[in-house]
Amino acid sequence: MIDPADLAKHYTRFRVTERILLTGHSHQAWPDVAFDAQQQAWLDTAEHVDDVWDLAFQKANEVRRGFARLLDDTPERIALAQNTHELVVRFLSALPLRKRPQLVTTDGEFHTIRRQLDRLAEEGIEVIKVPAMPASTLAERLAVTIDDRTAAVLMSAVLYENAYIVPNLTAVQQACERVGAELLVDAYHALNVVPYSLKKEGLERAYVVGGGYKYCQLGPGNAFLRFPADCALRPVITGWFSEFTDLSQAPMPGRVGYGPGPARFAGATYDFTSHYRGARVFKFFEEQELTPDKLREVNQHQVELLTGVTRNDATGGFLAMTVSDPERMQKALQEQRIWVDYRKDMLRLGPAPYVTEEQLHAVRKVLRSA
């Protein structure tokens, strides 16, 4: 078992012992090594000037390897970007929406997918929203909605409002394969807190988005799109880094080319500081032996301490509580140096591996008296 009190020593700049950060589902603290890495990015740029991109691309490869380990996949299938929205838009732009003008999703998606699909619906794309709850039957209900007009299904592995895990995504993948549609899974709220092997889940044909802002502790600027081995999509929204792998070759007349592997979904010039930070934090997790299995174990124990109820396997990494006035409750908790957030009528409490048992007992006492 991970010892949160011992681990907390590595997060001094976020002052995790001075306040109780139950924001683990939204913004986890960064270990102190991330600060050193961010400084190193500046120093390397000052030293190497434009040649710093060689070092930056090495850091990007390390970040790809980190995400690939969490997905039980290979780095060659991981494209990076500053946020998941960039990657979702590139994915959508590659779909044959003239021939298959239908997208299937749920009414429980994070804003990245929800807002973009709502806007596409205004332009005439048919967007079918399947009720997200009950999560236990969501995959089957999505599967029967898919037909030969469907270009893609976009859905979450863990619902962001209430932490429910969506089981049996294989059923959605198989339904997509039968009609030639694509499946895109938002795994952000599963990554690094719910062990997630694409092989075991039967999702090797799926596209997967996620990032490092939440449970990975990488901070912003570290998002990814995982694509299947035989991906041949040609994003309409495409940046010049897609051909950056070989600038010596002239573009093919009449047809835009794409570089191999992750370059297919590449954008353009970006702030590589995030990859310095991300690469170092991934290394820190390896040094501390913070595997997804261990993190899941400590997370479930922490939620049990908050609730006093044995945790079940149907939920992800945070606790969602229905309260009458979540905004008031959030402010009241913050006055006592307890950080939480809320969505609609749900107060969300997200423990992290550096939150101690003493801190959790203190939170439970406050909740009882609130």
Side-chain angles (χ1 to χ4, degrees):
M1 175 73 77
I2 297 167
D3 181 359
D6 186 59
L7 193 63
K9 300 173 184 176
H10 298 281
Y11 296 81
T12 61
R13 293 185 181 275
F14 268 76
R15 307 195 317 278
V16 299
T17 60
E18 301 171 27
R19 50 188 178 170
I20 304 176
L21 298 181
L22 293 183
T23 55
H25 57 291
S26 180
H27 183 156
Q28 291 212 2
W30 309 342
D32 295 337
V33 294
F35 181 80
D36 301 330
Q38 194 150 329
Q39 285 185 307
Q40 192 61 51
W42 198 99
L43 295 171
D44 282 354
T45 303
E47 177 66 23
H48 300 284
V49 197
D50 207 30
D51 290 338
V52 74
W53 284 100
D54 291 335
L55 297 175
F57 292 154
Q58 291 176 22
K59 299 297 182 184
N61 286 335
E62 292 176 34
V63 173
R64 284 192 184 92
R65 286 194 290 272
F67 284 131
R69 284 195 300 272
L70 297 181
L71 295 172
D72 192 19
D73 204 32
T74 63
E76 293 75 20
R77 296 177 191 169
I78 303 290
L80 302 177
Q82 297 287 282
N83 54 69
T84 55
H85 181 254
E86 289 183 37
L87 294 162
V88 169
V89 167
R90 289 173 203 158
F91 169 80
L92 290 169
S93 77
L95 298 176
L97 292 175
R98 288 193 182 95
K99 296 179 180 178
R100 308 173 72 110
Q102 182 190 90
L103 298 170
V104 176
T105 188
T106 84
D107 65 1
E109 297 308 306
F110 188 71
H111 314 302
T112 295
I113 289 175
R114 187 267 310 163
R115 176 181 169 85
Q116 190 62 67
L117 295 193
D118 285 352
R119 183 64 183 91
L120 287 175
E122 292 180 359
E123 297 302 314
I125 300 298
E126 182 184 1
V127 176
I128 297 177
K129 289 190 178 182
V130 175
M133 297 299 290
S136 59
T137 62
L138 177 54
E140 289 77 10
R141 289 182 287 114
L142 282 165
V144 299
T145 308
I146 301 164
D147 59 32
D148 58 8
R149 298 179 69 252
T150 306
V153 177
L154 298 91
M155 64 176 299
S156 293
V158 175
L159 301 178
Y160 87 99
E161 287 185 348
N162 54 29
Y164 277 101
I165 296 172
V166 181
N168 197 26
L169 296 191
T170 305
V172 185
Q173 180 64 72
Q174 291 172 346
C176 286
E177 289 180 25
R178 281 195 294 269
V179 300
E182 305 292 357
L183 171 62
L184 183 139
V185 178
D186 180 351
Y188 221 135
H189 279 86
L191 202 69
N192 215 31
V193 71
V194 178
Y196 206 74
S197 166
L198 296 182
K199 295 175 183 177
K200 293 178 181 178
E201 297 289 335
L203 294 176
E204 292 178 282
R205 297 277 308 143
Y207 293 80
V208 181
V209 290
Y213 193 72
K214 304 180 189 298
Y215 297 100
C216 291
Q217 303 181 7
L218 310 185
N222 286 294
F224 73 87
L225 169 67
R226 183 271 177 188
F227 52 89
D230 59 352
C231 172
L233 294 184
R234 301 181 68 247
V236 175
I237 308 299
T238 182
W240 70 279
F241 270 38
S242 278
E243 58 190 36
F244 194 47
T245 51
D246 190 356
L247 293 178
S248 65
Q249 293 186 7
M252 185 182 301
R255 185 176 175 85
V256 173
Y258 296 82
R264 180 173 296 275
F265 293 94
T269 308
Y270 61 91
D271 182 359
F272 52 75
T273 303
S274 59
H275 289 164
Y276 270 75
R277 187 175 62 241
R280 185 62 187 91
V281 174
F282 270 136
K283 184 178 180 181
F284 169 79
F285 268 63
E286 287 189 274
E287 292 168 347
Q288 299 297 318
E289 298 181 346
L290 300 176
T291 65
D293 287 327
K294 289 183 179 180
L295 291 167
R296 175 67 168 168
E297 181 184 8
V298 71
N299 174 268
Q300 293 212 318
H301 176 67
Q302 290 175 323
V303 173
E304 288 175 2
L305 289 176
L306 283 172
T307 63
V309 178
T310 300
R311 188 70 160 162
N312 62 63
D313 291 333
T315 50
F318 63 94
L319 172 65
M321 303 170 54
T322 303
V323 296
S324 58
D325 190 347
E327 183 178 8
R328 181 196 64 80
M329 181 75 79
Q330 181 202 34
K331 290 179 179 178
L333 289 170
Q334 191 159 334
E335 288 176 357
Q336 301 194 51
R337 302 186 67 75
I338 301 170
W339 267 251
V340 301
D341 70 3
Y342 65 92
R343 294 291 184 272
K344 298 180 181 178
D345 63 345
M346 306 290 286
L347 191 72
R348 303 194 307 172
L349 292 75
Y354 43 75
V355 179
T356 67
E357 291 195 6
E358 290 75 15
Q359 289 177 318
L360 294 171
H361 285 306
V363 172
R364 188 175 176 185
K365 183 178 180 180
V366 171
L367 289 173
R368 283 175 172 172
S369 62

